[in-house]
Amino acid sequence: MNNMYNTNKITEQLITWYGKHKRDLPWRHSKDPYKIWLSEIMLQQTQVDTVIPYYKKWLNKYPTLKDVAHASEGDLLKIWEGLGYYNRCRNFKKACDIVLSDYKGKVPTDFHAFIKMPGVGEYIAAAVLSIVHDKSYPALDGNIMRVLSRFMKKKTLSRYNKKVIYNHICKWMKFGSPGDINQALMDIGSQICKPNQAHCYKCPLENSCRATKTNLPESYPTPKQNKPIPNYDVVTGIIWDHDQFLILQRNEMNHLGGLWEFPGGKMKNGESQSEALIREIKEECGLEVNVKSKIGSIKHVYSHFSIHMTTFHCVSKNNTIIKTTQPYRWIKPVQIKDLPFPKANHKLFSILNKQGWHV
Ligand code: SF4
């Protein structure tokens, strides 16, 4: 029989390898569905090393799902600040509220019930239910998909091939712990079968892997061409009223929703920075301002675009009556530590902490 289909043996190899080589990660010391769920949400689009301190800080403050349901969204976003993709945090809060109100605080064990929770897709549901309850759901993230596309020598990750991969892992799961199999494949993907370098000599799948026999396993699946991302020139203003300045809260439905920021926005063609800032502040909060000294410029790269943001001190020309539909606050610099701001703003805070905050 072709080794590739000797599923019983491969399951055994995977589980033995996982027992010896698994990464010691904080969430692997627990089978609490709330903690595993939190870890998987944080790990989406984010490196393990970045997640670990956030995970520990979060659990220190919110050790149970009930604590999250009882917390305010603003306090949760403050803990999440810097981790990015803030929808994950807001959806997790909404989902914890639902679990507490509709499921008596118990995370659903049924895949179809769980997947209805805000922010829970097929991957999260499969990862949590396999790790916590050993249910047979392959957790197909980018790492696992890459490992299997090489193992099965699939050039493309078409919908059909993903289904083939899914079914193949299901066969392995008939012979051993689905949670361990998913986690073994996650570790192989992140530690051994890397996008640009497959260390096949360390891999428990080497004997049965088809791509390793080609001597160019990294060519599976065919690498995607990275599209260039647009850059936007943005201007923002710190509008002072005595020792306080104005901040606005971003709309929940938008990128970085729920976080606080200074008024401002994108420059239009032909505008000077001052002209753009005066226009943006007038549109955003109804104030007419005088633009004062320049504080500095920062660059920040998001997943789909980058910004070059220049910030100025500003003062209102006549009054400080705000006309906006967004929540707003006048705060002192010392209050920044209590509210969540985007990473780009923290770069600006570093400049202000060095040069002094006032105009
Ligand atoms: S043998 Fe090599 S190519 Fe195949 S899964 Fe393992 S590391 Fe990846």
Side-chain angles (χ1 to χ4, degrees), residues 147 150-151 192-193 198-200 203 205-206 209 211-212 217:
V147 173
R150 289 176 182 173
F151 181 83
I192 296 177
C193 195
H199 300 285
C200 301
C203 182
L205 298 173
E206 187 185 10
C209 176
T212 193

Side-chain angles (χ1 to χ4, degrees), residues 146-148 150-152 188 192-194 197-213 216-218 220:
R146 181 174 60 259
V147 173
L148 266 291
R150 289 176 182 173
F151 181 83
M152 302 181 83
I188 291 169
I192 296 177
C193 195
K194 298 183 180 187
Q197 202 171 17
H199 300 285
C200 301
Y201 64 97
K202 292 185 190 171
C203 182
L205 298 173
E206 187 185 10
N207 287 340
S208 314
C209 176
R210 289 181 163 187
T212 193
K213 295 179 177 59
L216 203 53
E218 294 84 1
Y220 295 87

Side-chain angles (χ1 to χ4, degrees), residues 254-294:
N254 294 342
H255 178 239
L256 306 172
L259 274 67
W260 295 84
E261 64 179 5
F262 301 117
K266 285 180 206 164
M267 292 175 65
K268 289 184 179 169
N269 273 348
E271 271 183 330
S272 70
Q273 289 181 320
S274 291
E275 285 165 350
L277 188 52
I278 290 166
R279 175 186 53 75
E280 280 288 343
I281 290 175
K282 175 88 173 139
E283 283 172 12
E284 220 174 358
C285 53
L287 286 181
E288 293 198 14
V289 294
N290 283 322
V291 176
K292 300 285 187 180
S293 57
K294 177 175 163 179

Side-chain angles (χ1 to χ4, degrees), residues 17-18 21-25 28 47-49 52 143-144 146-147 150 183-204:
W17 179 87
Y18 183 65
H21 301 286
K22 67 179 169 190
R23 287 174 293 170
D24 183 16
L25 303 171
R28 288 190 174 165
Q47 303 280 334
V48 166
D49 289 346
I52 289 174
N143 277 332
I144 295 188
R146 181 174 60 259
V147 173
R150 289 176 182 173
Q183 290 177 100
L185 292 171
M186 287 172 192
D187 282 9
I188 291 169
S190 66
Q191 306 297 298
I192 296 177
C193 195
K194 298 183 180 187
N196 298 325
Q197 202 171 17
H199 300 285
C200 301
Y201 64 97
K202 292 185 190 171
C203 182

